[in-house]
Amino acid sequence: MQRKLAPGILLVGALIMALLFAGLCIKAAVSRPWLGLDLGIQADTVIIEKVEEGHSLAGNSGAKLLAIGTPGSPAVALEPEDLVEEPDTLGDSTRLRRFYDRQAQLDTILRSEQVLAVIENNGRQETITAVPAPSRPVSDLPWQFWTQLFVGVVGWTLGAWVVALRPNDTSAWMLLVAGLGLSFAAQAAAIYSTRELALDFETYAVVSRINGFGTLLFGVGMVTLFLIYPKRLVRGIAIGLPAIAIGAGAFYMIIPGWPGNVPLLQPFVALIMVVLLVAIAEQFLANRRDPAARAMLGWLGLSVVLGAGGFVLTVIIPPLLGRPTVIEQSTAFLLFLIIYIGVALGVTRYRLFDLADWSIGVLSYAIGVVLLLVLDALLIYGLALDQLPALSVSLAVVCLIYLPLRNRIAEWPQRGMMMPMEELYRLITEISHLPESKQQVDSIKALWGDIFHPLAIRQTTGDEIGYKSPAAPTLADDGRTLFLPAGLNFPAFRLDYAGQGARLFSSRDTKQAATIVHLLDDTLGRHRAYRQAVEAERTRINRDMHDNIGILLLGALHNPDTDRKNSLIRQTLSDLREIVSNPMQEPLPLRHLIADLRAELGEAMEAAGVALRWEKSDLPDIEIPTRTIRLLQAFLREGVSNILRHSGAQCAVATVDVAEGQISATLWDNGPGFDVENASLGNGLKNLRSRMLQSSGTFVISSSASGTRVSASVPLDLSRERRMA
């Protein structure tokens, strides 16, 4: 079985190859005679911008360098074209051949033992003898050189990285081909575009051919990539047409026709750019019903337009129109990194669901930069403003007018996608008031549909996503699917194809969904807690009325004394108000509570003709909390009420005691008793048992022919009791 190399090994190997090629470029760049000068152009004259210390021309910074020669030979006058960065931009073969002839002539002079430099400083001409160094120091290579090397290394390495991740994907290999072409073009251009003054003809012949070949190889890779990705537009032998056509052009211009046919390279590259844009447009048409492909194409297309299009517009088109390049070619190569980063992200499908938003953001900033440059140029060349005022006015216009307008424009597409918060809150509130049933779930499902307008929405299970339920909204299938987590009272949902299939779900959607899930959970939880609190309060009122009010009404019913009957009724009304409006009364001294209960219950029993005896016990002088008060009152009142209504007893005994952290109460009567096992307890005794058990207490009923005993005990809340002084 054939073993595949790990992606890391492939990537490291590609990086080593790219660095080796960069090392060869560095060696070629420094293997030149060196005068120690930084030259520039001012008023169509070559000037010395900087001289390295210790060289013969030191101290002549700012002087004009008129000519160079050797002893005994006529000097060669220098021209601005001698410093041109990219010879291909000279426009015609005659100027190009003359340029190469002059470069060879100047290189011969620089290779001599002595160079006579004719300079003009402050209107005075003089000839200075300079001794060229045999090689150029690496430290003297300008930043433009390193920039182009960096672009070449990154382009090749990124292409290899994508191939390592997707080795069976033809589009990944086309990206690698384009990266190899970019590496050749950029690093070869670094050698001649950053020369001190001249290169020999042989070196130019090699590096210029490599540069042209790399440029066209980049075109082959990019055009073929967009012919097959994300959808194959051509099949069979037609896939090789770009390689055949561009390869034939490359052979004609670079091999036998160099340098005479090199001026054709610039319009040929512009033509390749047009073909590339047509391929991108065709891909948009072919994938108009696939939101994932559209998102990817938007990002890829924008990357190519900004990168390759920017390079063509700033470096290639101006010379074709007889104008100087907008920016230096060495700097313009950075634009290709935009292409490569964008295409690499697209081919690897990294965060595909966010590419549409990224595309809009990058495009808006690119428009801002172009607007800034155009305004600056109009103010400088049209109104003759100085550079600083022109730049200041341009920045002010972009910042005060364009950026706010851009934000407004960016909000327009989202207006139909974003539900107003007021409407969202109203819908969630309505859902929370629905019964906790299928109706509520259906309403939540409809809410998700109104927000994201998916083609399909259904309840989901953990089996679909490999775990129980997502803890937060989760994107799947490159943004085609959005999984929503289950909440307090609603299930997890799966949404497919946002905007009725017109777009992908994005990170913005997950953030919005997370906010809504939290709002739903919080609102439903609060409403559930409210309903539970209402139900608990109703139960408490019902229980307290049954346990506490019943005995008072029985006492009033059986009491023949009208004044006492009225007093009991008034007390009943008072207790009823306490139950309804003041459930948390203040703690009471235990002795006072028992004294009040003895009087109240004794009166009710006496009115019914039943004797009640309280067994003496030494109660501690403590205050007991409200919960214990309610339990004790409920037990004794309900117990006495049951004796009066059901026992047929002649006498009863009550006991209250505190021991070992427990407060206990017992009621015994001498009635005929009943079968505890088979008897059905009434609501009062059921309530008592439930309340005692909820308070970690006990509740016991025993009965025989000699009477019935009911006992209860609850923990005395020591953390809340207060001993009396």
Side-chain angles (χ1 to χ4, degrees):
M1 183 176 180
Q2 186 178 4
R3 294 183 62 186
K4 294 183 179 180
L5 290 177
I9 296 177
L10 291 174
L11 185 59
V12 171
L15 181 60
I16 291 174
M17 292 177 62
L19 293 176
L20 286 175
F21 187 63
L24 292 175
C25 293
I26 294 172
K27 186 177 186 304
V30 299
S31 300
R32 307 283 133 197
W34 182 58
L35 290 175
L37 305 177
D38 287 346
L39 302 177
I41 298 174
Q42 184 175 336
D44 292 331
T45 304
V46 177
I47 64 168
I48 300 173
E49 294 181 340
K50 180 182 177 183
V51 183
E52 292 292 328
E53 294 183 5
H55 285 258
S56 305
L57 294 173
N60 288 290
S61 297
K64 297 178 180 179
L65 182 60
L66 303 179
I68 62 172
T70 58
S73 300
V76 177
L78 298 183
E79 301 174 357
E81 278 191 2
D82 295 328
L83 299 183
V84 70
E85 188 179 51
E86 177 52 72
D88 298 353
T89 62
L90 291 176
D92 60 73
S93 58
T94 302
R95 291 177 65 189
L96 190 61
R97 288 182 182 276
R98 181 175 181 274
F99 170 81
Y100 284 130
D101 290 341
R102 286 182 58 81
Q103 284 287 299
Q105 189 178 10
L106 293 172
D107 181 73
T108 301
I109 294 173
L110 292 174
R111 291 180 182 277
S112 62
E113 294 183 358
Q114 292 183 334
V115 175
L116 301 179
V118 181
I119 67 171
E120 180 181 320
N121 200 352
N122 297 323
R124 183 172 59 86
Q125 289 189 10
E126 60 177 316
T127 302
I128 299 176
T129 301
V131 179
S135 62
R136 185 180 187 180
V138 174
S139 60
D140 186 63
L141 296 174
W143 66 268
Q144 293 93 337
F145 176 86
W146 301 109
T147 297
Q148 292 174 93
L149 251 63
F150 173 74
V151 170
V153 171
V154 170
W156 166 248
T157 306
L158 277 178
W161 170 64
V162 175
V163 168
L165 294 177
R166 306 171 70 91
N168 298 321
D169 191 339
T170 306
S171 60
W173 285 97
M174 288 301 100
L175 185 63
L176 178 61
V177 169
L180 184 60
L182 178 60
S183 180
F184 286 160
Q187 298 192 29
I191 298 173
Y192 61 76
S193 64
T194 60
R195 66 193 184 279
E196 184 184 38
L197 177 59
L199 287 179
D200 61 278
F201 184 80
E202 291 75 13
T203 301
Y204 251 124
V206 173
V207 295
S208 178
R209 283 185 169 102
I210 293 175
N211 171 260
F213 172 76
T215 301
L216 297 179
L217 185 62
F218 178 83
V220 170
M222 295 304 295
V223 171
T224 307
L225 171 64
F226 280 98
L227 286 177
I228 64 174
Y229 187 80
K231 178 179 287 187
R232 283 186 177 268
L233 301 179
V234 295
R235 297 186 179 277
I237 194 173
I239 296 177
L241 288 178
I244 295 172
I246 297 175
F251 179 82
Y252 175 73
M253 289 180 284
I254 295 174
I255 305 301
W258 191 91
N261 292 332
V262 169
L264 298 176
L265 183 63
Q266 303 292 333
F268 193 58
V269 171
L271 178 62
I272 293 173
M273 182 64 194
V274 172
V275 173
L276 182 59
L277 293 177
V278 171
I280 294 174
E282 285 294 324
Q283 284 286 2
F284 268 107
L285 291 175
N287 292 278
R288 60 185 179 276
R289 299 187 185 279
D290 186 348
R294 285 203 314 273
M296 183 164 42
L297 279 170
W299 179 254
L300 297 183
L302 179 64
S303 301
V304 172
V305 169
L306 292 181
F311 187 88
V312 170
L313 289 176
T314 57
V315 175
I316 293 179
I317 298 297
L320 295 178
L321 301 177
R323 306 292 298 175
T325 59
V326 177
I327 57 177
E328 296 177 344
Q329 175 178 282
S330 56
T331 304
F333 267 111
L334 289 172
L335 293 170
F336 283 96
L337 288 185
I338 297 176
I339 299 176
Y340 245 77
I341 293 172
V343 173
L345 290 176
V347 172
T348 57
R349 307 177 78 85
Y350 173 75
R351 295 183 69 87
L352 183 60
F353 42 81
D354 281 334
L355 291 185
D357 289 345
W358 291 357
S359 300
I360 295 173
V362 171
L363 180 61
S364 66
Y365 282 110
I367 293 174
V369 172
V370 171
L371 181 62
L372 177 66
L373 295 177
V374 170
L375 285 175
D376 188 51
L378 288 176
L379 292 174
I380 292 175
Y381 297 108
L383 300 180
L385 289 181
D386 291 336
Q387 291 184 354
L388 183 59
L391 179 61
S392 301
V393 172
S394 301
L395 281 173
V397 171
V398 170
C399 294
L400 298 178
I401 298 178
Y402 171 72
L403 291 181
L405 183 62
R406 183 207 64 172
N407 294 336
R408 284 293 187 90
I409 294 174
E411 291 174 358
W412 285 349
Q414 299 180 14
R415 287 185 176 180
M417 298 164 53
M418 298 289 288
M419 180 178 291
M421 186 57 68
E422 298 83 1
E423 177 68 10
L424 179 63
Y425 183 76
R426 183 187 65 79
L427 291 174
I428 291 177
T429 303
E430 290 179 357
I431 291 172
S432 68
H433 286 83
L434 294 174
E436 295 181 4
S437 62
K438 185 176 182 299
Q439 185 179 0
Q440 193 174 70
V441 174
D442 289 343
S443 297
I444 294 174
K445 180 178 178 180
L447 174 65
W448 291 125
D450 291 339
I451 293 172
F452 295 114
H453 305 286
L455 278 180
I457 176 172
R458 58 186 174 83
Q459 295 184 34
T460 187
T461 61
D463 296 338
E464 291 189 61
I465 48 180
Y467 46 90
K468 185 176 181 181
S469 176
T474 304
L475 294 171
D477 195 15
D478 292 329
R480 293 181 178 89
T481 299
L482 175 63
F483 286 105
L484 299 171
L488 179 67
N489 197 39
F490 55 90
F493 287 97
R494 170 179 174 154
L495 282 61
D496 294 310
Y497 295 100
Q500 292 296 301
R503 66 181 184 89
L504 298 177
F505 291 103
S506 66
S507 295
R508 183 181 64 250
D509 294 323
T510 61
K511 292 178 181 177
Q512 183 185 10
T515 301
I516 295 172
V517 167
H518 175 74
L519 190 56
L520 271 171
D521 232 6
D522 184 68
T523 303
L524 294 179
R526 289 175 182 271
H527 196 72
R528 171 183 280 187
Y530 165 77
R531 287 199 299 265
Q532 290 175 344
V534 169
E535 185 61 31
E537 184 64 7
R538 285 175 178 168
T539 302
R540 183 195 66 80
I541 292 174
N542 177 65
R543 188 172 54 204
D544 285 350
M545 287 179 63
H546 182 280
D547 295 345
N548 297 322
I549 301 300
I551 186 62
L552 294 176
L553 292 177
L554 279 175
L557 179 64
H558 291 286
N559 200 307
D561 186 352
T562 302
D563 292 338
R564 182 54 183 162
K565 185 188 297 285
N566 293 339
S567 175
L568 288 172
I569 292 174
R570 283 193 294 270
Q571 184 178 349
T572 301
L573 293 174
S574 176
D575 283 3
L576 186 59
R577 283 193 297 270
E578 285 291 320
I579 290 171
V580 174
S581 61
N582 186 25
M584 299 301 293
Q585 67 185 55
E586 289 296 318
L588 288 175
L590 177 58
R591 293 176 179 176
H592 292 182
L593 175 64
I594 297 303
D596 291 340
L597 288 172
R598 287 183 67 170
E600 173 190 321
L601 300 177
E603 219 175 296
M605 296 284 274
E606 182 181 352
V610 180
L612 176 62
R613 179 169 58 87
W614 289 78
E615 289 192 350
K616 185 178 180 182
S617 61
D618 295 328
L619 296 176
D621 195 7
I622 59 173
E623 287 186 345
I624 57 174
T626 303
R627 184 178 183 84
T628 308
I629 294 172
R630 294 292 188 197
L631 288 173
L632 196 56
Q633 286 177 333
F635 173 79
L636 293 173
R637 285 172 173 171
E638 177 63 19
V640 168
S641 176
N642 278 311
I643 291 172
L644 294 179
R645 288 181 297 168
H646 306 300
S647 69
Q650 300 300 314
C651 66
V653 178
T655 304
V656 176
D657 196 12
V658 175
E660 298 180 356
Q662 298 275 331
I663 183 168
S664 58
T666 303
L667 279 174
W668 173 85
D669 66 75
N670 64 350
F674 63 97
D675 186 355
V676 177
E677 296 296 330
N678 297 319
S680 176
L681 299 181
N683 288 335
L685 292 178
K686 288 180 180 178
N687 283 341
L688 280 176
R689 172 176 287 171
S690 174
R691 293 174 70 173
M692 294 298 175
L693 295 179
Q694 288 175 4
S695 301
S696 301
T698 63
F699 184 83
V700 179
I701 300 177
S702 60
S703 184
S704 65
S706 60
T708 300
R709 180 184 298 272
V710 182
S711 301
S713 67
V714 292
L716 191 60
D717 191 353
L718 297 178
S719 64
R720 298 182 58 185
E721 74 176 24
R722 295 184 296 181
R723 292 194 172 273
M724 303 296 291

